[in-house]
Amino acid sequence: MTADRTVKTTVFNIQTYCIHDGPGIRVTVFVKGCPLRCVWCANPESNLRKPQLMFYKDKCTACGRCVDRCPEKAISIRQEKDKYISFTDRSLCKDCGACVSACMQEARELAGEEMTVEAVINRVKKDKLFMETSGGGMTISGGEVLFCPEFTENLLMAVHEEGIQTAVESSCFASREVIDRVYRHVDLALCDIKHMDTNLHREYTGVPNEQILANIRHIHNDLQVPVWARIPCITGYNSDKVNIASTARFIRNELGTDVRVCLLPYHRLGESKNESLGKDMDWSIEIPSDDYMQELKAMVEGYGLTVQVGG
Amino acid sequence: MTRAPAGDFRIPVYEGHNNKNYGGISMYERVERIKKRVVVDTYPICIEKYRITLDVLEHTKNDPVIIQRAKILDATVERMPIAIADDELIVGVGASKPMGLEIDPNYGIWSQDEIDSLIEDGYQMDPQDVIDLQELNKKHDPATMIGQMGDVFYETENERILSLLKAGLILPPWKDKAQGRGVGGGYCQSGLGLGPSLILLAVDYSKILTHGTNALIRQCEEEMTKLRYYNKGDLDKYRYYKAVIMSLGAMNKLAARYSALASEMAAKEADPVRRQELEMIAKNCARVPAEPPTTFWEAVQCFWFQYLMLSPSTTLPGCRFDQYMYPFYQKDIENNGITPEFATELLCCLRLKDMELNRTSGKNNRKKNAGMAKWHNFTIGGQKADGTDGTNDLTYLMLDAALITKTPHHTLTVRVHEGTPEKLLIKALEVVKAGLGLPAFISDDSYIKCFTSRGVPIEDAREYVMTGCLDANLPGKSRTGPVPMVTIPLIFDIFRHNGINVKNGEKCGIEVGNFADYKSFEELYAAFEKELQYCMDVVGEKNNVELQITQELLVDPLRSALMFEGIESGMDTFRRTMPFENGAVINPIGMVNVGDSLAAIKKLVFDDRKYTLAELQEALDADWEGFDQMHEDFIAAPKFGNDDDYVDEIVARCYKSFTDYCGEIPTILGGVHIPTGISITSHQPGGQLTGATPDGRKAGEILADGTMSPMHGMDKKGPTAVLNSAMKVDQDPFQATLLNMRFSPSSLKTEEDLAKLGMMIRAYLTHGGKHIQFNVVDNETLRAAQEDPKKYRDLVVRVAGYSCYFVQLTRAMQDEVIDRTQQTLC
């Protein structure tokens, strides 16, 4: 069976020289659309499947070119604090992107573009030299890659046809059927474990964790795909030692000590993205200190696991 | 020698320069104390060497130039004040005042106006010296390179050349004759030798290290006995040998003076540790360079005497220091004569010595070479002559010394090939991470091909070294004179106006056709190529004039003797055809802008037919004002650095047109021109001279730097896309190319990060890439440094091929460094 390279989905970034999403130098393909709504989401522009306008107000010089270009008359110039900037009325904006090309300051960007497997593979292939010489490959991330399984499955197959290694970075929130379809083509599974308490998991991400944990067990134990467990460490949500210890126990007891654990300290990139998407931010999460991350690392290592801080 | 280590031998904690805790790191106390003396922000201007030179010239009027020059060397080492400063282990100073810059007699006259401008820029000069200088100037009417070139090019017969020089074809642009000859201003620099300053020449240091100067003097004497004066040229040879003997003898005299001074100081020294050090210095200088060194310490001292007397030169290389010094190190280690820590301390002392060799120049050139520019490049690692990997302990210690001193000079370049140990790449990247802007990484594969493709045996080619910024030369076996910086977008401007210099309406190029009338891209490209070739021919002519003046005026018996068969040949190196002949090169600036421009024209005018050439001409001459939509479209056209074949192939084609045609332009030394590709900081003044370009750039704006770097801000697809674009250009014919990349320090945290960056470097450099270097600083740090330069005095930044202090750059150059796309790793 060969890959169907005409399948499409919305891709919001194909990032090259990724060194923190699996072994070697990698190309990471980020797809749009996610069934989870993690409060700390680092890629809020990936939530919806459709393309979305992003606006970086620091770059805006209020030149007004976008105002004239907007077919919906959604843009106006307004004063904000001590400077004038362009303002987009999100209720009128259709995310068409007409203002993006008008902007000479690169203050406007349309996140997301519909791409076929073929188009993605052509981009990924260009970095084959770097992937091959470093033992790297392609990683698909999101959004949630299992939310567009047909695309993901065909992209993975196509990547293998090109002789490139694959990794999938996922919340593992999907049906067993989807898991089986996708993980046949995966050389390394990067599985997020966000919280061990299903109630808190539901509160913070919008979905419970039972299916997720069962899927991770299935991927590792039944499908025998190598797993790296990725634990985002979010101050005030899941990075307390009780939850991290219980996560470590789950990994050791139900998966095995061959699973590499990546403790990912919270970073603020998602916050500035929320702002550029026009979303209000009324909370701010503290970045965990290096010392605290080292404490967590030592603790998880105590369970006989191999641990790294960062991807 | 056994010796208790002075100071604290802990390995320093390497911190980024954004750390506020300056000076809070531990390092050798000695290094720290010397550093206080040599990392300064103001330099005294001295006239002692000028005085001595003028005196010699007055008394040697009837001598042949080569004898005159040798006598100048001799008088300089005899009469210049010498000094040994506290803590020094390697001795020898290059100016009459600490950190001094001597007015160089071989270049233009320093007018009062130029001196005023120096003082305005913060240089110090003794008020009496200011007066004396103008008196000396009255006596001095030197035959200078620039003066003699003026004698040729200001004549009406050569108007065709002058019109292009005035347009700025070669930087800096020439002024009208009435405004002073040539570019005006001279050089102030340190070093006891003759210069010239800016040639790219790698001597074979191992000659003196292996045989000692006495043996070379004996060799000259022997050669002299073979001379028979009925042979054409034998009288020239006789004079050459006399001059070489005098020059090598001068080096011995210098060492003897230092030996005597060290003994004298030792006798008075109260501190027993320092007394012992001074006694050793006296002993070292009593042996080297007259006799070959027996210890590593002597070898480093011997190297320094050579280096000091081959200076002033802003482009003097250290060659493969880790290779030719290794036998001395190895022997000392085996005999327990030295510890790796003490060897590192000596290497640190050598680095700090190099901080004493500086240069400044006239107003115009100060702008061109931002900062206290110098390219004292030491090449490490890489293949040995037999093809095996040459990395050794000394390679690593040299990197350690850079980490400990945290000084930008001397710079280091790591040669990379398939067999380079991963450990060396990681170590080198630790140095990069420390924010020193060094080392650069270069490809053995591509550099070696530059030589072998032109007939050099592979064993010789594998010994190549970096001279200047990144130009390769073979130690002893090749050298480069003129390195003209040629602004290609300016040629495009001239082409666009059918041979006219729009700034003054004068004809300077040739008529190739009306820009608006080209019917196809191929027709347009062919016409541009014609204009390009015409301009390159003129550059070639100017280079040859410069070469002949170099032969006549700037003979240098010392450095000629240290070349391959430098004694056997009996000739100055610029009169010989060297085993590899790259006597003159041409260096394109802003070729990427021209490639991007041609791609935009091809797409929007000929493929999409959205605009006409006439409209484009109008928009460009209006500097895009009133052509907003058009400007947007031309900016959005494909740009080099994004792995887009459409434009990359056009850039590659432009470079091929350029490199192919270089090989068509002969030199008087018996070779042809070789292409090279560095920009130093010329992309700024080059941009200033150039009108708006179809890549969307506005008139006067800076050009793309280097040769393989994308136009800044135009690469949007990450570092590997930049490399993929660059690998589509055939870089092998160049004797240098340059690609700058900047990372933020936070993206190089773990050893694994460094290992992966190392893998990327190796992949690039073994698949067609020639050079890559990194800046690791964040923009906040740079902005803070702009606002408070004093506080960030030691912030090192790599600008196009050399390291210098960020605060010494012009504001425009600082902005450019900040704007260069910052590659962040995910």
Side-chain angles (χ1 to χ4, degrees):
Chain A
M1 196 175 107
T2 56
D4 177 356
R5 298 192 179 208
T6 62
V7 182
K8 289 181 187 172
T9 199
T10 314
V11 172
F12 72 93
N13 195 6
I14 297 178
Q15 194 163 269
T16 57
Y17 195 67
C18 291
I19 57 173
H20 298 145
D21 293 304
I25 297 170
R26 313 191 70 84
V27 176
T28 303
V29 177
F30 293 90
V31 297
K32 258 171 87 62
C34 185
L36 274 64
R37 286 294 176 271
C38 307
V39 290
W40 53 80
C41 182
N43 291 325
E45 76 275 36
S46 72
N47 287 174
L48 305 178
R49 194 164 277 173
K50 66 168 183 132
Q52 282 169 281
L53 176 72
M54 298 183 80
F55 172 61
Y56 306 97
K57 66 178 179 189
D58 288 343
K59 292 185 179 178
C60 180
T61 58
C63 73
R65 292 163 64 100
C66 52
V67 176
D68 304 335
R69 199 68 66 85
C70 179
E72 311 299 331
K73 306 248 176 299
I75 309 179
S76 57
I77 301 292
R78 284 192 186 179
Q79 188 170 7
E80 195 187 270
K81 292 183 190 145
D82 53 346
K83 74 175 248 187
Y84 284 92
I85 56 165
S86 64
F87 171 82
T88 310
D89 184 340
R90 298 275 174 173
S91 65
L92 297 174
C93 176
K94 298 268 200 303
D95 294 305
C96 73
C99 58
V100 173
S101 65
C103 181
M104 304 296 279
Q105 310 303 328
E106 296 170 356
R108 290 171 174 273
E109 185 191 343
L110 198 63
E113 181 191 350
E114 188 155 90
M115 290 180 86
T116 60
V117 166
E118 178 72 11
V120 171
I121 210 82
N122 284 339
R123 182 68 198 90
V124 171
K125 259 188 342 200
K126 282 170 175 277
D127 276 25
K128 199 171 172 189
L129 167 69
F130 298 102
M131 295 188 276
E132 263 177 8
T133 54
S134 68
M138 183 203 68
T139 302
I140 320 183
S141 180
E144 174 49 62
V145 297
L146 304 178
F147 208 38
C148 51
E150 203 192 345
F151 177 85
T152 301
E153 184 187 7
N154 282 290
L155 178 59
L156 291 168
M157 284 164 69
V159 168
H160 270 168
E161 286 164 15
E162 300 293 340
I164 297 168
Q165 297 279 299
T166 61
V168 161
E169 207 267 305
S170 166
S171 72
C172 298
F173 180 72
S175 68
R176 184 59 57 91
E177 184 233 329
V178 164
I179 296 285
D180 284 339
R181 267 172 70 190
V182 167
Y183 280 87
R184 279 185 298 167
H185 310 292
V186 174
D187 299 312
L188 174 70
L190 307 173
C191 301
D192 295 1
I193 305 179
K194 298 174 204 280
H195 211 294
M196 294 309 291
D197 178 322
T198 190
N199 292 324
L200 289 174
H201 197 283
R202 189 199 303 269
E203 187 184 331
Y204 299 151
T205 72
V207 303
N209 72 7
E210 288 88 353
Q211 188 184 19
I212 290 172
L213 298 178
N215 279 340
I216 297 174
R217 271 194 298 267
H218 178 61
I219 291 165
H220 180 269
N221 301 344
D222 305 334
L223 302 178
Q224 308 224 324
V225 179
V227 169
W228 286 12
R230 314 234 299 176
I231 307 173
C233 298
I234 319 293
T235 316
Y237 291 88
N238 72 345
S239 64
D240 54 285
K241 290 187 178 165
V242 175
N243 181 51
I244 300 297
S246 108
T247 310
R249 265 196 306 278
F250 167 78
I251 294 167
R252 185 195 59 188
N253 296 346
E254 306 201 28
L255 303 175
T257 50
D258 59 303
V259 172
R260 183 160 162 174
V261 178
C262 308
L263 298 172
L264 310 178
Y266 175 72
H267 62 74
R268 292 223 158 98
L269 271 169
E271 289 181 35
S272 64
K273 282 181 178 176
N274 265 317
E275 189 182 277
S276 62
L277 286 164
K279 292 184 182 170
D280 284 339
M281 299 294 302
D282 55 357
W283 45 267
S284 179
I285 299 170
E286 204 182 305
I287 294 169
S289 69
D290 287 348
D291 286 348
Y292 187 67
M293 293 306 297
Q294 290 307 318
E295 279 176 39
L296 292 183
K297 178 171 185 269
M299 189 181 81
V300 179
E301 278 169 347
Y303 288 84
L305 295 163
T306 306
V307 186
Q308 67 186 59
V309 174
Chain B
M1 201 215 56
T2 51
R3 186 180 177 286
D8 184 349
F9 269 82
R10 271 176 298 154
I11 292 297
V13 180
Y14 311 131
E15 292 170 336
H17 280 273
N18 52 342
N19 193 302
K20 290 192 182 96
N21 185 20
Y22 272 74
I25 55 172
S26 98
M27 62 169 71
Y28 300 125
E29 282 175 25
R30 181 195 307 278
V31 166
E32 192 142 23
R33 286 196 300 260
I34 299 178
K35 207 176 153 184
K36 273 192 194 118
R37 258 191 303 117
V38 300
V39 178
V40 296
D41 49 15
T42 173
Y43 301 82
I45 304 291
C46 320
I47 61 169
E48 199 52 33
K49 196 177 176 193
Y50 192 40
R51 219 192 280 276
I52 295 166
T53 305
L54 259 52
D55 185 46
V56 175
L57 288 174
E58 209 182 322
H59 293 98
T60 58
K61 280 195 180 114
N62 298 322
D63 283 332
V65 175
I66 192 161
I67 299 292
Q68 245 184 5
R69 299 262 287 170
K71 285 182 178 172
I72 291 170
L73 263 184
D74 185 57
T76 305
V77 299
E78 235 172 41
R79 297 194 226 162
M80 283 279 273
I82 64 168
I84 298 173
D86 293 347
D87 302 304
E88 282 191 322
L89 298 176
I90 304 299
V91 299
V93 292
S96 55
K97 293 190 173 111
M99 300 306 291
L101 304 171
E102 296 279 344
I103 296 270
D104 195 312
N106 295 311
Y107 295 88
I109 291 284
W110 284 87
S111 63
Q112 190 62 49
D113 169 53
E114 286 279 0
I115 291 290
D116 289 345
S117 148
L118 270 184
I119 292 168
E120 220 167 273
D121 284 1
Y123 294 87
Q124 302 161 333
M125 194 162 173
D126 185 292
Q128 186 58 44
D129 284 354
V130 174
I131 298 163
D132 289 355
L133 174 66
Q134 297 311 326
E135 284 307 307
L136 289 172
N137 281 347
K138 282 181 201 159
K139 284 202 278 179
H140 192 40
D141 182 17
T144 62
M145 167 72 75
I146 198 74
Q148 297 226 339
M149 281 200 295
D151 289 345
V152 178
F153 298 133
Y154 280 124
E155 295 302 322
T156 46
E157 297 83 357
N158 293 318
E159 177 64 34
R160 66 189 170 84
I161 295 175
L162 183 67
S163 64
L164 275 171
L165 295 179
K166 277 185 0 194
L169 176 66
I170 297 169
L171 289 168
W174 281 40
K175 301 178 204 163
D176 279 320
K177 194 176 182 180
Q179 291 170 266
R181 280 182 168 187
V183 295
Y187 289 121
C188 292
Q189 35 196 1
S190 18
L192 300 176
L194 295 166
S197 175
L198 279 167
I199 61 167
L200 304 175
L201 179 145
V203 301
D204 182 356
Y205 291 107
S206 69
K207 270 187 155 180
I208 291 181
L209 286 167
T210 313
H211 305 292
T213 49
N214 285 348
L216 299 182
I217 290 171
R218 283 195 297 275
Q219 194 188 349
C220 286
E221 287 164 351
E222 211 167 288
E223 290 290 339
M224 283 162 92
T225 64
K226 298 181 201 158
L227 299 175
R228 295 295 175 269
Y229 296 108
Y230 42 74
N231 292 330
K232 190 180 168 215
D234 271 18
L235 179 57
D236 286 338
K237 286 188 178 176
Y238 173 75
R239 289 170 173 160
Y240 175 78
Y241 289 129
K242 289 290 271 190
V244 170
I245 291 169
M246 226 187 297
S247 308
L248 293 168
M251 205 187 276
N252 290 351
K253 275 187 197 170
L254 182 70
R257 283 183 75 194
Y258 275 100
S259 180
L261 177 63
S263 297
E264 211 177 287
M265 288 170 72
K268 291 182 206 151
E269 179 60 57
D271 173 16
V273 175
R274 182 61 183 159
R275 186 165 60 233
Q276 199 196 351
E277 284 171 1
L278 285 164
E279 281 164 1
M280 281 306 297
I281 291 168
K283 197 165 156 250
N284 291 345
C285 297
R287 178 166 181 95
V288 297
E291 297 300 329
T294 55
T295 66
F296 185 68
W297 193 353
E298 284 176 2
V300 177
Q301 180 64 58
C302 181
F303 169 82
W304 182 248
F305 280 134
Q306 295 188 60
Y307 206 77
L308 197 57
M309 291 203 61
L310 294 165
S311 298
S313 170
T314 44
T315 48
L316 189 63
C319 299
R320 305 187 75 180
F321 192 92
D322 64 341
Q323 303 301 306
Y324 62 75
M325 294 295 272
Y326 187 65
F328 299 102
Y329 172 79
Q330 195 184 22
K331 207 176 115 204
D332 260 6
I333 290 284
E334 279 167 9
N335 299 339
N336 293 321
I338 199 174
T339 59
E341 289 78 11
F342 183 59
T344 308
E345 199 173 359
L346 289 172
L347 294 172
C348 289
C349 287
L350 179 65
R351 290 188 67 81
L352 295 170
K353 259 310 184 197
D354 193 48
M355 293 300 290
E356 295 178 12
L357 294 182
N358 293 297
R359 177 191 71 152
T360 191
S361 47
K363 274 184 277 188
N364 270 329
N365 267 318
R366 279 213 295 284
K367 221 185 286 169
K368 187 177 87 174
N369 299 326
M372 292 286 289
K374 69 179 179 198
W375 304 269
H376 290 172
N377 208 334
F378 287 52
T379 307
I380 58 176
Q383 289 169 274
K384 297 189 213 173
D386 63 8
T388 59
D389 181 59
T391 308
N392 59 41
D393 290 350
L394 215 40
T395 318
Y396 291 95
L397 296 189
M398 289 175 77
L399 289 163
D400 275 336
L403 276 174
I404 293 162
T405 59
K406 290 205 165 191
T407 51
H409 306 292
H410 52 83
T411 194
L412 294 168
T413 301
V414 180
R415 285 176 43 167
V416 179
H417 63 110
E418 208 52 76
T420 299
E422 187 181 30
K423 197 178 133 199
L424 177 62
L425 290 178
I426 292 174
K427 179 84 197 176
L429 284 167
E430 273 172 26
V431 181
V432 168
K433 185 178 163 181
L436 289 173
L438 63 91
F441 300 85
I442 56 168
S443 159
D444 268 5
D445 188 38
S446 184
Y447 271 105
I448 288 168
K449 278 185 193 150
C450 169
F451 295 102
T452 52
S453 67
R454 294 180 172 103
V456 174
I458 187 136
E459 294 77 14
D460 278 3
R462 285 187 185 128
E463 295 285 8
Y464 80 93
V465 298
M466 293 291 94
T467 51
C469 174
L470 289 163
D471 281 86
N473 269 292
L474 304 176
K477 292 185 177 171
S478 77
R479 41 86 196 101
T480 302
V483 186
M485 299 290 176
V486 178
T487 308
I488 307 296
L490 185 74
I491 299 177
F492 190 83
D493 253 8
I494 295 168
F495 153 73
R496 205 158 55 75
H497 297 98
N498 205 7
I500 303 295
N501 173 0
V502 279
K503 292 199 191 66
N504 58 13
E506 282 172 20
K507 186 171 175 244
C508 63
I510 51 167
E511 287 180 24
V512 291
N514 282 322
F515 184 68
D517 296 344
Y518 297 113
K519 294 285 172 285
S520 70
F521 180 75
E522 287 308 317
E523 200 186 300
L524 180 139
Y525 188 88
F528 168 66
E529 208 174 20
K530 238 193 250 173
E531 193 74 66
L532 175 70
Q533 292 178 352
Y534 173 78
C535 291
M536 286 171 70
D537 274 332
V538 171
V539 173
E541 285 190 89
K542 189 203 173 228
N543 276 351
N544 276 311
V545 169
E546 213 172 316
L547 279 175
Q548 183 164 342
I549 298 171
T550 302
Q551 290 180 337
E552 290 166 1
L553 290 185
L554 300 172
V555 290
D556 190 327
L558 183 59
R559 77 173 103 207
S560 296
L562 301 181
M563 298 300 277
F564 172 71
E565 292 180 351
I567 292 175
E568 293 87 330
S569 69
M571 274 162 107
D572 185 87
T573 179
F574 274 99
R575 294 192 175 223
R576 299 167 59 193
T577 300
M578 297 305 291
F580 177 68
E581 192 41 68
N582 57 344
V585 298
I586 304 180
N587 191 115
I589 305 295
M591 186 68 94
V592 164
N593 298 89
V594 170
D596 283 351
S597 292
L598 289 168
I601 291 173
K602 182 168 192 271
K603 177 147 201 330
L604 293 165
V605 176
F606 295 109
D607 290 1
D608 300 354
R609 304 213 165 262
K610 192 164 180 185
Y611 300 102
T612 65
L613 286 175
E615 285 167 328
L616 176 60
Q617 183 84 327
E618 204 188 330
L620 291 172
D621 287 343
D623 198 16
W624 300 108
E625 292 301 325
F627 294 85
D628 285 1
Q629 179 61 49
M630 198 169 166
H631 193 196
E632 223 174 85
D633 289 341
F634 277 83
I635 288 175
K639 296 284 183 280
F640 183 72
N642 296 293
D643 196 6
D644 178 343
D645 288 348
Y646 189 91
V647 55
D648 295 348
E649 276 163 17
I650 292 176
V651 170
R653 182 179 176 186
C654 290
Y655 274 124
K656 186 161 177 9
S657 294
F658 175 84
T659 53
D660 283 354
Y661 198 67
C662 277
E664 301 290 320
I665 312 170
T667 74
I668 56 169
L669 295 171
V672 290
H673 280 72
I674 306 289
T676 188
I678 54 170
S679 77
I680 313 185
T681 54
S682 294
H683 50 298
Q684 190 215 332
Q688 263 172 15
L689 292 171
T690 306
T693 38
D695 56 347
R697 185 189 137 275
K698 297 194 73 175
E701 279 180 8
I702 201 159
L703 301 167
D705 85 331
T707 32
M708 296 303 140
S709 302
M711 179 63 176
H712 64 98
M714 286 300 168
D715 52 316
K716 294 173 180 172
K717 297 231 164 116
T720 52
V722 173
L723 301 186
N724 282 334
S725 283
M727 283 187 285
K728 290 175 207 167
V729 176
D730 182 5
Q731 302 185 31
D732 294 345
F734 286 89
Q735 80 176 35
T737 66
L738 192 150
L739 174 60
N740 279 316
M741 212 174 254
R742 191 149 66 90
F743 286 97
S744 64
S746 57
S747 51
L748 294 169
K749 275 192 176 152
T750 64
E751 185 167 315
E752 199 179 332
D753 294 348
L754 300 184
K756 287 184 181 180
L757 184 54
M759 289 168 191
M760 183 180 87
I761 292 170
R762 192 197 305 267
Y764 177 62
L765 296 180
T766 52
H767 291 82
K770 201 173 201 102
H771 157 269
I772 187 165
Q773 68 193 17
F774 303 92
N775 267 332
V776 181
V777 280
D778 56 22
N779 284 344
E780 283 76 1
T781 312
L782 297 178
R783 292 235 165 73
Q786 280 191 314
E787 296 321 312
D788 192 359
K790 279 230 138 84
K791 205 167 140 198
Y792 294 91
R793 197 177 287 150
D794 66 345
L795 182 63
V796 187
V797 168
R798 178 72 97 165
V799 180
Y802 67 92
S803 293
C804 88
Y805 288 116
F806 180 77
V807 296
Q808 289 173 333
L809 295 169
T810 60
R811 185 84 187 194
M813 280 308 302
Q814 289 179 347
D815 287 341
E816 200 265 341
V817 170
I818 291 173
D819 284 346
R820 200 181 290 152
T821 306
Q822 183 158 343
Q823 305 287 2
T824 43
L825 315 182
C826 41

